[in-house]
Amino acid sequence: MNSASSSTACVVCGSLQTAVFAQVRGVPVHTTLLWRTRAEAQGAPVGDVDLTYCRECGHIFNPLFEESKTEYTQAYENSLHFSPLFQKYAESLSGRLISRYGLHGKDVLEIGAGKGDFLAMMVRGGVRRGIGFDPSYVPEAAHRDLVDSGRMAVVQRFYDPETAGATADLYVCRQVLEHIDRPRGFLERVRAGMPEGRGAVVFFEVPNTLCMLRDLDVWTIIYEHCGFFTPQSLGRLFEVSGFDVLSLDEHFEGIFLGIEARAGEGVGRGGNGEAVPGGLASLVEKFERRFEEKVLYWKTTLRALSQAGKRVVIWGGGARGVTFLNMVDTERVISYAVDMNPRKSGAYISGTGQQLIPPSGLISYKPDVVILMNPIYREEVAGTLRELGVHPELVSA
Ligand SMILES: [Zn+2]
């Protein structure tokens, strides 16, 4: 590891026992922004990543992240709700939270509600009222009945407890914390905005960095993620931010971490998170060794496919797809990115500029190879390809 950077203080625990273990240069700053023209996509702003590991609390973060480079607008699109598998996971999560915390007839507040899909699910599941905050929100026809009847509202701005004008019994925040470069200050504000004496709880969900390390899943490195949480660092963050952790589990085949917590006795307790196990440090070391190898493998593989005249597409135009294309498809071998989300069709990938097409676009294109960005969807994608009557080789990135 690069000891020259060892003076960067950890954003979770403040320790100076940190070191850079992987570097990526010139990645698009907005992996999930939709671009209307190829020229716009190829001119998209870029930034650098120094993955930095804290030996004290097990957190990984990018000190080169500049918040001013990122912006969330209505063109921001990261909804996973078009995958049936993800839909099923979200339904079960919503049902479990409602029953565990007795939320029938209670209120839910969602920070970073996206298009309001999960909030609507919770309201339909029995919650009295759902209020969400998200600058990228656009009203959805599918939720109009809930909005019209006053059971659901999404405010088109960032959540600020001081001006929110609402409190709740459950605070939900999914896939947001990893985008925040000062997560401790953010959590302390959330905690301060929670009502006293109502037994309110929070549920936060983040990508599970153990998966990235264990599976050498280098495509989850994106600029927008300035924080990479391990179970150790996630628990530690909530403790030092004044929460009592109720549970901390892996979700959705282990690719997410979910934490449930209550406002604790006082803000900024020392934090007594479990010690970082030695296994985590060795995973980080292994990742450091194999990271460059994996990138080189894919560059070589794509070159060989190109020389053999193969038609190659990727399946998954989200963040992983954007990272994969920008890190390895430097010679523009891949023609399209397939995505289930119809809202993305026709748009272009940041940086490399491939067009996003729906699965039906493969009927005429007849690819020889489909590179799957997320192996969790393998069966689902294989089934869709069979239904479309196309028979490419399906490989995982
Ligand atoms: Zn730390």
Side-chain angles (χ1 to χ4, degrees):
M1 295 194 202
N2 180 359
S3 58
S5 301
S6 62
S7 59
T8 306
C10 172
V11 295
V12 167
C13 74
S15 169
L16 294 173
Q17 295 296 311
T18 60
V20 176
F21 69 97
Q23 296 182 308
V24 192
R25 293 291 171 260
V27 284
V29 162
H30 307 110
T31 43
T32 44
L33 269 189
L34 301 179
W35 302 98
R36 283 162 304 162
T37 67
R38 180 167 281 130
E40 269 185 319
Q42 290 176 338
V46 295
D48 298 329
V49 177
D50 267 4
L51 281 189
T52 304
Y53 174 64
C54 172
R55 294 188 192 93
E56 172 64 26
C57 74
H59 192 53
I60 293 166
F61 60 103
N62 175 23
L64 302 183
F65 177 81
E66 294 172 59
E67 197 186 358
S68 59
K69 281 192 170 181
T70 64
E71 57 176 15
Y72 296 126
T73 66
Q74 288 183 9
Y76 181 72
E77 175 59 70
N78 69 342
S79 182
L80 295 168
H81 279 261
F82 291 95
S83 155
L85 193 63
F86 186 80
Q87 184 79 7
K88 207 171 138 198
Y89 159 69
E91 291 276 5
S92 112
L93 174 65
S94 165
R96 192 176 57 73
L97 289 171
I98 289 170
S99 75
R100 180 178 291 182
Y101 297 110
L103 296 172
H104 283 278
K106 301 275 185 74
D107 298 339
V108 171
L109 187 152
E110 187 173 13
I111 301 164
K115 309 296 183 211
D117 296 318
F118 188 68
L119 199 58
M121 205 177 264
M122 292 205 78
V123 173
R124 293 195 200 284
V127 161
R128 186 180 71 125
R129 186 158 188 270
I131 180 156
F133 292 85
D134 201 310
S136 76
Y137 175 70
V138 269
E140 291 275 291
H143 313 143
R144 190 178 297 151
D145 59 319
L146 299 179
V147 173
D148 288 349
S149 65
R151 295 186 66 204
M152 173 175 149
V154 181
V155 184
Q156 207 186 86
R157 56 178 157 86
F158 285 108
Y159 174 65
D160 175 355
E162 287 184 12
T163 57
T167 57
D169 302 282
L170 174 74
Y171 290 72
V172 174
C173 185
R174 304 175 61 213
Q175 316 289 330
V176 168
L177 203 52
E178 67 275 16
H179 298 264
I180 295 174
D181 62 344
R182 292 280 173 265
R184 186 170 168 175
F186 171 73
L187 274 187
E188 285 170 353
R189 280 199 306 282
V190 169
R191 184 189 173 284
M194 289 169 72
E196 295 286 342
R198 200 160 142 189
V201 289
V202 296
F203 171 80
F204 275 66
E205 182 191 87
V206 293
N208 183 3
T209 303
L210 287 185
C211 274
M212 177 186 94
L213 297 173
R214 278 193 300 240
D215 305 338
L216 200 67
D217 195 359
V218 307
W219 323 125
T220 52
I221 300 175
I222 59 170
Y223 188 80
E224 294 106 314
H225 287 186
C226 47
F228 295 77
F229 289 92
T230 60
Q232 292 79 14
S233 71
L234 187 61
R236 180 73 164 260
L237 174 67
F238 276 74
E239 285 167 358
V240 299
S241 307
F243 286 89
D244 291 337
V245 177
L246 303 169
S247 69
L248 203 174
D249 301 298
E250 293 191 340
H251 291 282
F252 199 38
E253 316 268 320
I255 66 171
F256 299 148
L257 291 172
I259 188 165
E260 294 162 31
R262 269 187 219 285
E265 290 304 307
V267 174
R269 291 180 306 144
N272 49 5
E274 58 180 293
V276 175
L280 182 54
S282 64
L283 279 177
V284 169
E285 277 165 30
K286 190 174 124 201
F287 188 94
E288 181 175 24
R289 283 198 309 274
R290 296 184 50 202
F291 169 72
E292 298 287 344
E293 280 171 30
K294 186 160 179 175
V295 172
L296 187 62
Y297 164 82
W298 274 107
K299 284 185 174 175
T300 312
T301 301
L302 289 184
R303 190 172 303 130
L305 287 169
S306 169
Q307 283 163 359
K310 303 285 188 190
R311 277 185 294 232
V312 187
V313 302
I314 63 163
W315 189 291
R320 279 168 193 268
V322 174
T323 300
F324 178 83
L325 292 171
N326 278 278
M327 276 169 73
V328 305
D329 193 20
T330 43
E331 292 170 24
R332 305 292 188 271
V333 174
I334 294 165
S335 358
Y336 295 104
V338 181
D339 203 282
M340 300 283 278
N341 183 344
R343 292 193 284 234
K344 291 184 178 179
S345 283
Y348 294 86
I349 293 272
S350 286
T352 47
Q354 285 87 354
Q355 192 168 30
L356 288 143
I357 58 169
S360 60
L362 297 181
I363 299 172
S364 54
Y365 186 65
K366 293 184 181 58
D368 299 299
V369 179
V370 171
I371 304 172
L372 186 58
M373 288 302 113
N374 193 340
I376 200 171
Y377 297 120
R378 193 174 183 97
E379 289 308 308
E380 193 177 304
V381 171
T384 306
L385 290 171
R386 276 195 301 275
E387 281 167 26
L388 293 171
V390 288
H391 306 282
E393 187 186 347
L394 182 60
V395 294
S396 294

